[in-house]
Amino acid sequence: MADRFPDLSSKNPDWWRQAVIYQVYPRSFADADGDGLGDLRGVTRRLDHLAALGVDALWLSPFYPSELADGGYDVADHRDVDPRLGTLDDFDALVAEAHRLGLKVVVDIVPNHTSHLHPWFQEALRSGPGSPARERYVFRPGRGAHGELPPTDWPSVFGGSAWTRTADGEWYLHLFAPEQPDLDWDHEQVRADFRTTLRFWSDRGVDGFRVDVAHGLAKDLAEPLRDIGSIGATGEAALPLLPPGSHPYWDRDEVHEIYRDWRKVFDAYSPPRTAVAEAWVPGARRALYARPDELGQAFNFEYLETGWDAEELRRVITDELATARTAGATATWVLSNHDVVRHASRLMLPPGTDPEAWLISGGTAPALDTAAGLRRARAATLLMLALPGSAYLYQGEELGLPEVADLPTEVLQDPIWEQTGHVRKGRDGCRVPLPWTTSGPSYGFGPGAAWLPQPSSFARYAVEAQAGAEGSTLELYRTALRLRRKLLEGETLTWAADSPAGVLDFTRREGWRCVTNLGGGPVPLPPGELLLASTPLPDARTLPPDTTVWLG
C-alpha cells in the first residue's frame, strides 16, 4: 500500500496547529456526472479554487455508501465510496491532486453508528435475539407487560425516542435517526474494525480525521439501563446536571480509552495523522479529547454559538485559548458548518431569536437585511482568522452565502423535518449546492439541476461573479488568507487595555493587531499601518460598526 499510495503531504507534523481547513460537503460542492448530486470528481475538478483561496487543507464530509437518511452520516460501508459519488480510484485521484496542490486531506469518520443497511446490522436483524451478531449493537427487550415500551426514556437527537422496535420484539438504540443504529464500543470487533478503517484511509494518503459525535461512543449499558428524565432534562441538556463523565451515553470517561488506542494508529505514520473531535461538551471536558495522546484537537462550539457581542466573544476567546493550552493543543474556531444556519444570516438574528422558528417562518420572522448580514459576516471572518489556532471554513462562506431559509417543505431532505413532526425544518438551508457561474441550470454546480433548488440570488454570489472583483467577499478571503500566512507568529494574543465598549482589540506577536467594532456607532481607529479591512473605511481615523481591521 505504501508504494501505491505515497505520502505526498508535508512532513511537518505540526501543520494543523494554525491551519485553515475548508469543509467540503461533497453532495453540494460540484457535480461532474450531471445527476444533480455532487461527487468526488467534481471536488477534484474544483480543487484549484481551494488552492487559489489559500487554505491549508480540505475536510471531506462523508462520501461513503449511504442511503442518505442523514446526509451521508448513515454509513453502510466505512471503507468504500458511494457509487453515486464515485469510486476508490476517484478518491485516490482527489488525494493525489490535493497533495500536488499543497493541500492536506481530512476525512470524516463516523464511529458512533452505522447505517441500518450495514452488513453487520442486517446480520443482526436476521440472527435474532441473543445472537452474537446483535452484540455489536445495542439491542434490549422492551419494558411493559409485553415489551411494548422502549427500554429507557433516552431521546433521539432528531426527535422522538432513541429506540426502535424490531419485528421480533427487541428494541435497538439509535441516538440519531432509526436508520443509524448505535454500535456497542465495548465489543472488541467494533474497536478492531475501526482501527482497520483508520489505517485503510491513512494508507491512501489521508492526513487527518474529523471524528463525528466523538463524545457519544462510550455508554453505560449495565443493567438496569438508567432513565435520565428524572433529573429534569434529557439528552445533552442533562450533561451539566450530572457529575462530569457520568451521563449514560454522552461524554463518558471511558471514551478516552478509545482515543488513546486510536492515537497509536495515528502515530504509526510519518507524519502522524491528525484528528479533531466533534464533541458538544463544556470546555474543561473538551480539553480531554484534545490531549496529545488522544485526538489532538477538538471543535470549540461555544465560539460558533456566541452572538455578535464583544464581551461574550472576548470571554469565549479567552476561555478557549486557556482550554487549548491546558490540553497541549491549539484553539479551534468555526463560524459555519453543515449543521447550523450560515453565519451571514445567523449573526443578524436578534438576541433571543430561536433559529428553528426563524427557519420555519421561511426567514421572514424576522426578515433580515442581507447586505448588513454580509457586512457583519465579513467582519466576523477577519476576527476569526486573526485568532491563534486553526480556523475551519465551510464551503460557500467565502462567497458570502446566506442561509436559504425559504426552501419549500416539499423539497426538504433532512430527516429532522419528518422526525420532529414538521416542527424543525432542519439543515438543508446551509447545504444548498454552491454557485460557480452566473448562469446555467444550477449556476455551474453541474450540467443539470441540483438536488436542492438554488435561489436566483445565487447568481450574484457565484465564483465567476466575484473572482478578481475588487472588494468582493471571495477576494477578501483570498487576501486575508495570504496575509495570515505571513503574519502568524506564536499561539497567543494580548488584549488591549483601553479598548472602547463594544470593541475587540488584540495584538499578536510582531505587532499584528486586530480590531473589531461590534458596537452601534463608529469608534476612533487605532494607529498603525492598515493591512486589511473587512469593508472600506470612510476615512483614515474612523472604524465603523460591524467592521474589522488588521493593522501592522
Side-chain angles (χ1 to χ4, degrees):
M1 290 289 288
D3 292 337
R4 185 181 173 197
F5 303 110
D7 187 347
L8 302 178
S9 63
S10 166
K11 296 298 181 182
N12 175 15
D14 294 327
W15 68 266
W16 52 272
R17 293 190 69 88
Q18 295 206 67
V20 176
I21 298 97
Y22 182 103
Q23 181 187 0
V24 170
Y25 192 74
R27 292 167 174 81
S28 296
F29 193 69
D31 171 22
D33 62 12
D35 65 355
L37 200 65
D39 45 47
L40 294 186
R41 287 194 292 124
V43 176
T44 303
R45 291 179 183 181
R46 295 293 189 180
L47 286 177
D48 57 343
H49 172 70
L50 302 190
L53 191 60
V55 301
D56 299 291
L58 67 146
W59 149 31
L60 282 172
S61 291
F63 49 86
Y64 311 112
S66 169
E67 67 173 339
L68 303 183
D70 180 24
Y73 284 87
D74 48 315
V75 179
D77 185 343
H78 292 82
R79 297 192 288 273
D80 205 352
V81 174
D82 190 316
R84 291 166 293 183
L85 273 66
T87 65
L88 282 170
D89 285 342
D90 292 329
F91 179 84
D92 296 337
L94 187 160
V95 172
E97 178 63 5
H99 286 166
R100 187 188 71 80
L101 293 169
L103 299 167
K104 312 293 192 301
V105 178
V106 175
V107 300
D108 239 303
I109 195 80
V110 187
N112 179 70
H113 46 261
T114 70
S115 165
H116 69 139
L117 300 180
H118 191 286
W120 277 3
F121 193 72
Q122 290 297 304
E123 180 188 1
L125 292 180
R126 291 192 304 270
S127 300
S131 64
R134 290 206 171 181
E135 295 177 358
R136 293 182 292 225
Y137 292 89
V138 184
F139 282 86
R140 291 292 186 275
R143 297 186 293 190
H146 305 288
E148 73 277 11
L149 300 176
T152 69
D153 65 354
W154 300 353
S156 163
V157 172
F158 292 159
S161 174
W163 297 92
T164 288
R165 199 176 191 187
T166 64
D168 55 41
E170 277 204 323
W171 297 73
Y172 69 88
L173 177 68
H174 55 87
L175 293 181
F176 294 87
E179 296 87 353
Q180 295 169 289
D182 279 44
L183 290 162
D184 184 349
W185 273 84
D186 287 336
H187 199 295
E188 178 51 35
Q189 284 188 28
V190 173
R191 297 190 179 213
D193 192 70
F194 271 88
R195 286 192 292 267
T196 299
T197 295
L198 295 173
R199 294 187 183 103
F200 179 87
W201 295 112
S202 295
D203 288 344
R204 303 191 94 90
V206 163
D207 302 283
F209 300 89
R210 178 263 190 187
V211 184
D212 185 61
V213 196
H215 61 310
L217 277 57
K219 299 175 177 68
D220 180 6
L221 299 175
E223 297 293 344
L225 298 180
R226 290 185 286 152
D227 283 339
I228 56 175
S230 60
I231 67 170
T234 58
E236 289 175 310
L239 273 171
L241 304 177
L242 290 166
S246 68
H247 192 288
Y249 52 87
W250 290 133
D251 189 37
R252 292 190 60 77
D253 290 336
E254 302 95 303
V255 78
H256 300 289
E257 175 194 344
I258 296 169
Y259 298 131
R260 284 190 289 271
D261 184 51
W262 285 19
R263 175 48 58 186
K264 297 174 185 175
V265 176
F266 299 150
D267 286 351
Y269 292 86
S270 180
R273 287 352 187 199
T274 66
V276 58
E278 182 210 27
W280 291 83
V281 297
R285 297 290 298 181
R286 187 173 66 246
L288 303 179
Y289 296 82
R291 289 178 292 192
D293 66 337
E294 293 192 31
L295 296 177
Q297 201 172 62
F299 282 127
N300 164 26
F301 292 114
E302 283 94 336
Y303 186 76
L304 181 150
E305 293 176 326
T306 302
W308 193 240
D309 179 273
E311 288 309 308
E312 279 299 297
L313 280 168
R314 177 172 175 149
R315 179 189 61 79
V316 169
I317 292 167
T318 301
D319 289 351
E320 168 61 7
L321 291 172
T323 296
R325 189 162 52 249
T326 298
T330 56
T332 63
W333 315 104
V334 59
L335 288 167
S336 286
N337 63 35
H338 64 293
D339 283 334
V340 300
V341 172
R342 285 186 176 275
H343 68 276
S345 299
R346 189 185 71 251
L347 292 176
M348 289 301 296
L349 294 175
T353 302
D354 179 1
E356 298 289 350
W358 179 75
L359 287 172
I360 286 290
S361 78
T364 62
L368 301 183
D369 181 335
T370 56
L374 180 57
R375 178 186 181 95
R376 186 168 288 183
R378 289 163 59 111
T381 293
L382 282 199
L383 168 62
M384 178 182 72
L385 291 177
L387 295 170
S390 294
Y392 286 79
L393 310 181
Y394 178 53
Q395 64 177 42
E397 70 171 81
E398 78 278 15
L399 306 178
L401 292 183
E403 184 80 0
V404 184
D406 59 352
L407 284 171
T409 57
E410 62 268 19
V411 307
L412 297 179
Q413 305 286 323
D414 193 331
I416 289 176
W417 174 243
E418 294 296 337
Q419 282 200 232
T420 60
H422 300 176
V423 173
R424 294 170 56 194
K425 197 170 185 180
R427 301 158 293 180
D428 290 318
C430 66
R431 300 176 177 183
V432 174
L434 296 190
W436 295 93
T437 60
T438 57
S439 61
S442 58
Y443 301 106
F445 168 70
W451 68 281
L452 281 173
Q454 302 150 300
S456 59
S457 60
F458 265 32
R460 68 173 180 267
Y461 293 102
V463 174
E464 182 181 58
Q466 295 196 48
E470 184 177 355
S472 71
T473 301
L474 175 57
E475 291 302 329
L476 175 71
Y477 270 74
R478 288 175 173 176
T479 302
L481 292 176
R482 184 172 65 250
L483 279 173
R484 186 179 185 274
R485 287 180 181 274
K486 299 178 181 179
L487 296 170
L488 284 180
E489 283 288 344
E491 296 180 0
T492 61
L493 59 77
T494 302
W495 294 106
D498 56 351
S499 55
V503 172
L504 290 177
D505 184 351
F506 61 84
T507 304
R508 300 281 300 274
R509 285 177 58 181
E510 308 301 326
W512 174 26
R513 187 172 185 178
C514 175
V515 187
T516 304
N517 183 3
L518 298 91
V523 297
L525 186 67
E529 177 191 359
L530 179 64
L531 302 177
L532 188 62
S534 60
T535 54
L537 303 183
D539 56 63
R541 300 180 302 279
T542 305
L543 183 63
D546 293 345
T547 304
T548 297
V549 293
W550 290 357
L551 304 171

